[in-house]
Amino acid sequence: MFDEERVGASTMAAFIGAVILGGGNFLAVRISNQELPPFWGAGLRFGIAGLVFVGIALSLRLRWPRGRQALLIAIYGLVSFTLSYALMYWALVRVTAGMVAVLLAVVPLVTPILAAAHRVERLSRRNLLGALVALGGIVVMTVGPEGLLMPLGGLTAVGIAAVTIGESVIIGKRVSVNHPAMTNAIAMPVGSIGLLVISALAGEQWATPHQSEVIWSLVYLVALGSVGLFVLFLLVVRKWTASGTAYAFVLFPVVTLLLEALLFDEALSPRAILGAIVVMGAVWFGALAQPAKVRVGAAPDPATG
């Protein structure tokens, strides 16, 4: 199948692209939340992106998975898009994009534990140590003498989201044997339906955006933050370990804070620069220099599922 103990140049390029797009997502979501209710905004985003992927799958005449693979992809859609993004969109109404990005840095801590529980990876001390150091670097970037102030509801939502994202990485590993367009052609519509059900139950008003910045943020979220990001994500997790892929969430805050400084003219402090250096070093140590070993065959063959 694939040599998952070495990361090639194309996989690394896809990883870097995913980090850049994912880091921009936090700001785009916060902008879209200015006009669109959170669950409706997320459902609209993934509904449109899902239709794009359906069109791609049909135009490429891809084989639609059946049986166990189809079920796994549907579960991936519910966990990755419905649960994770419902929690993140809701949290971004209440806290800053940077704070959410910081808290999601625990994903690389959660993912190896989940991967070991699923028996698809061996728990690596190096991976856990690298994730802890990276998390410390993000704390240096964003926490001052007064501490990190965050509403309890937002803190809880992002914490649960980190667990669901870690689980979605594991499931994504299992379904990555399928073409990325086909996987998302099933997963995103399923996730969108789940989000729209939550939106209806929450009594949100469904309306199209009118503010230009919200429209452009939605365009970004559909074209780059959904179609582009999740193609890259599935390409990376297909070739790499789930734990290594999860390190993208440690780097998201670096991109988010840089974009906040650029777009909102906020100067980067020496603390932020030092923290970014620590994060980069920790990601290299924990994931890039020596990826965790995976049990070959963890991802099922679609032909047998």
Side-chain angles (χ1 to χ4, degrees):
M1 293 220 355
F2 301 99
D3 183 2
E4 294 172 303
E5 299 196 16
R6 299 184 64 185
V7 180
S10 60
T11 302
M12 187 55 57
F15 178 80
I16 294 171
V19 167
I20 294 172
L21 295 180
N25 269 2
F26 292 101
L27 291 179
V29 169
R30 193 158 190 221
I31 293 172
S32 73
N33 281 347
Q34 294 175 3
E35 185 176 4
L36 301 177
F39 305 135
W40 161 241
L44 179 63
R45 164 191 174 183
F46 290 120
I48 298 173
L51 291 176
V52 172
F53 277 117
V54 169
I56 295 173
L58 291 175
S59 65
L60 294 177
R61 298 183 179 180
L62 299 176
R63 177 187 173 189
W64 291 81
R66 299 178 180 179
R68 185 168 181 266
Q69 272 294 300
L71 177 60
L72 279 174
I73 293 174
I75 294 172
Y76 169 72
L78 289 173
V79 175
S80 181
F81 301 115
T82 300
L83 295 179
S84 300
Y85 279 88
L87 291 164
M88 283 193 289
Y89 266 71
W90 185 83
L92 280 165
V93 176
R94 291 156 177 80
V95 297
T96 66
M99 284 186 177
V100 172
V102 167
L103 290 171
L104 287 182
V106 303
V107 170
L109 293 174
V110 174
T111 304
I113 297 172
L114 293 172
H118 285 279
R119 297 182 179 181
V120 297
E121 293 183 18
R122 299 181 183 92
L123 196 59
S124 166
R125 292 182 181 178
R126 184 186 183 102
N127 183 270
L128 290 175
L129 179 59
L132 283 170
V133 174
L135 182 60
I138 291 175
V139 171
V140 170
M141 291 172 67
T142 57
V143 180
E146 70 282 359
L148 180 64
L149 301 177
M150 187 172 184
L152 181 60
L155 177 64
T156 303
V158 179
I160 298 173
V163 176
T164 61
I165 290 171
E167 186 65 27
S168 73
V169 174
I170 305 299
I171 303 172
K173 180 69 179 176
R174 294 187 178 276
V175 302
S176 64
V177 292
N178 299 286
H179 193 286
M182 177 54 68
T183 298
N184 286 306
I186 298 174
M188 281 193 181
V190 169
S192 175
I193 292 171
L195 287 163
L196 294 177
V197 168
I198 295 174
S199 176
L201 292 175
E204 291 183 343
Q205 182 179 0
W206 294 8
T208 56
H210 295 91
Q211 300 176 23
S212 60
E213 62 269 25
V214 175
I215 293 173
W216 281 111
S217 71
L218 183 60
V219 170
Y220 174 90
L221 288 168
V222 171
L224 298 178
S226 296
V227 176
L229 174 61
F230 287 99
V231 166
L232 293 176
F233 166 78
L234 289 171
L235 289 175
V236 172
V237 78
R238 187 179 192 183
K239 291 280 190 175
W240 205 1
T241 64
S243 299
T245 304
Y247 266 80
F249 291 92
V250 180
L251 294 173
F252 284 166
V254 178
V255 177
T256 301
L257 291 172
L258 289 173
L259 288 175
E260 282 182 331
L262 178 64
L263 296 177
F264 299 102
D265 197 25
E266 296 179 1
L268 286 175
S269 66
R271 176 187 294 272
I273 296 173
L274 174 61
I277 294 173
V278 173
V279 170
M280 296 294 185
V283 171
W284 175 86
F285 172 82
L288 305 182
Q290 186 178 347
K293 293 183 179 180
V294 179
R295 297 184 180 180
V296 177
D301 188 339
T304 62

